[in-house]
Every structure is written in C-alpha cells, then in structure tokens.
Amino acid sequence: MKGKRENIESNPELYSIAVATFWSENSLSGVMPLPDTMFCAQQINIPTELPDILKQFTKAAIRTQPHDVLQWSAAYFSSLASGETLPVKERLEMPVATQKTDTGLTPGLLKILHKQLSPKGTVEKAELEQRWKELCLPKEQLNSIIELGNFGTSIVWIEFFALGCSALNGTITTSLKCACEILTADPEGGAARIPFETFTFLFTYLNKFDGEMPQDQIDSYLNSLEEEAKQQFGMVQPSNFTGLNRPKLPN
C-alpha cells in the first residue's frame, strides 16, 4: 500500500482527483474522510480524451483572453460538442498603445465571427447577438454597428463585416487593409490578397458612409485598380491601395 501511495502522491493530477472524489462521495453520505486515506492509480478512471480536451481548452482560453471566462467556456464546449466553429482566436493579440480597454472588438474576434457566420451569407440578428455575447463583447458596440448599417432582423454578413472593419479602424484605407488581412487565404505576414470583386464591394459599400467620393471617381479608381488586379490573377492586396487618402468614416 505504501508503494501505491507514493505512486499517486508523485502525480499531482491523480492526487487532486482522488482527494476530490473521496470527499465528494463521503460528504454526501455524512462520512468524513480520514486524513491519511489514499487511493492508487488503478482505482481512478480518467477518460482517455480528457487530458487532451483540457489541454486544448486551456490553450484556446489563453489565446482568446475572454473577458468572461465562464460565459466563453460555455460557448466553447457547446461548439465543440456540436462540431461548430470554435470561438477561438488563431493567435494571441496584444493590445495597442491607444487601447484603453480589452473588452471591445478586435481583428481576431471579428475573424472568429466571420468564420462562424459568413457561410450563411445572411444571418439573423438574434444569432449575431448570441455569437457576439459568447465572445463577451459589449452590446453597445454591436448596437452602434447595427444602427449605422440600418440593419433589420436579417443582416447581410459581408455588410456587417465591412462596418466591423470600419469600427476597428476609422478610415476606408485602414478598414480595407484590415478586411484583406482577415479575409485572405495567404499566410500571416504575406501579401494579404483578396479577390478584386470582394474588394470592389467593400470599397463601394464603405464609401456610402463616407459620402465624399463621387460615383464617377469610384468607377475611375476601380477601373485603374482592376488593371493591376489582372496582373495579379484577379487579386488585390493592401500595397495596391494604401496610397488612398480618404477622410475618416462616421463613428
């Protein structure tokens, strides 16, 4: 028995589980456990999948840094059980110097929403609100974007996505750059290319909220950019348009 006791005491995980299990079972029956009562590893059944599940969950929580860990955890395991896209950032995001709070929308969180909702094309407002809540994002920010876009109960996702990029940046140029970095299939640090058709929609849509570039100038600019895109297999990248000098979009 001494050898088994030393074996389990040398494994903190097994020791903690053994103690918790014993206290739980005996407290229900009114029997208090003896201080020196120990278990051997053979008495504890640990599901084979549990260590890896907990490891992946911990890594996901560290990368995502949810404001409300319990709320996010519920969404994580619900998505995991149903085979849906997990509410997990691809990498840890460091707050920028001007960021006073870490509870608002970030490129990483917007990318999660895009993965979850873009396949639908059009998403119900109730589902967007639920996904937003699962990421522990402030309701006021969501309402602001919905009000700006004048969205109803059904929301065209790419339009909401465009305004989300705008909320993160403020100018058309930086909003389009953000969109490219989220939508691209290129590896991180790459050219961040997206199809010319996607860029055209985003640029035209965001300009509606700027209102200072006349349609003939939009057409002229896009025609010029299309020539560059043709030489890049129909793709546009930030280096093609970062020369734009556009005014700040409305808040």
Side-chain angles (χ1 to χ4, degrees):
M1 181 64 182
K2 181 179 180 181
K4 293 181 179 179
R5 173 172 176 170
E6 291 177 348
N7 177 48
I8 195 168
E9 287 184 327
S10 66
N11 189 321
E13 181 179 3
L14 290 178
Y15 182 83
S16 298
I17 294 174
V19 172
T21 301
F22 187 85
W23 275 81
S24 175
E25 291 179 351
N26 287 278
S27 61
L28 291 175
S29 63
V31 179
M32 296 304 293
L34 298 176
D36 294 331
T37 302
M38 299 303 300
F39 294 87
C40 64
Q42 290 78 4
Q43 290 178 279
I44 303 172
N45 179 30
I46 300 178
T48 306
E49 307 88 347
L50 183 60
D52 186 59
I53 290 175
L54 294 179
K55 178 181 178 180
Q56 296 305 319
F57 165 73
T58 302
K59 291 167 64 176
I62 293 173
R63 283 203 309 273
T64 307
Q65 296 287 306
H67 178 60
D68 186 328
V69 177
L70 289 179
Q71 181 171 285
W72 175 84
S73 299
Y76 176 90
F77 285 110
S78 176
S79 297
L80 183 65
S82 59
E84 298 178 348
T85 301
L86 297 176
V88 179
K89 291 181 183 178
E90 293 183 354
R91 61 192 60 82
L92 179 65
E93 290 183 296
M94 300 304 293
V96 297
T98 57
Q99 190 173 340
K100 294 182 172 56
T101 176
D102 59 358
T103 60
L105 187 65
T106 68
L109 294 175
L110 183 57
K111 188 167 187 176
I112 292 174
L113 290 170
H114 181 71
K115 287 181 177 180
Q116 293 175 327
L117 301 174
S118 62
K120 299 176 181 293
T122 299
V123 59
E124 293 302 310
K125 180 181 177 181
E127 181 177 3
L128 174 57
E129 290 175 333
Q130 179 62 30
R131 296 296 187 182
W132 191 272
K133 180 180 179 182
E134 290 172 353
L135 292 175
C136 312
L137 291 168
K139 183 69 178 296
E140 296 77 15
Q141 190 174 30
L142 174 61
N143 291 339
S144 177
I145 297 175
I146 289 177
E147 182 179 354
L148 177 61
N150 195 28
F151 296 121
T153 55
S154 294
I155 300 173
V156 177
W157 170 252
I158 193 64
E159 294 180 355
F160 182 92
F161 172 81
L163 293 183
C165 291
S166 176
L168 288 170
N169 297 275
T171 68
I172 287 184
T173 303
T174 54
S175 297
L176 290 170
K177 183 175 183 293
C178 176
C180 286
E181 292 170 347
I182 292 176
L183 297 176
T184 188
D186 293 335
E188 183 181 9
R193 299 166 296 176
I194 64 173
F196 174 74
E197 293 77 11
T198 302
F199 175 88
T200 297
F201 175 84
L202 293 171
F203 178 73
T204 304
Y205 182 74
L206 287 176
N207 190 70
K208 294 179 181 178
F209 299 89
D210 180 355
E212 295 188 14
M213 179 178 278
Q215 187 61 45
D216 59 337
Q217 291 185 26
I218 293 176
D219 295 339
S220 176
Y221 175 76
L222 290 176
N223 287 337
S224 174
L225 188 62
E226 186 175 17
E227 294 304 313
E228 294 185 62
K230 287 179 180 178
Q231 299 176 31
Q232 299 169 169
F233 306 98
M235 307 293 279
V236 174
Q237 59 196 50
S239 61
N240 297 138
F241 60 83
T242 48
L244 287 173
N245 183 21
R246 303 299 302 145
K248 187 176 181 180
L249 289 172
N251 293 326

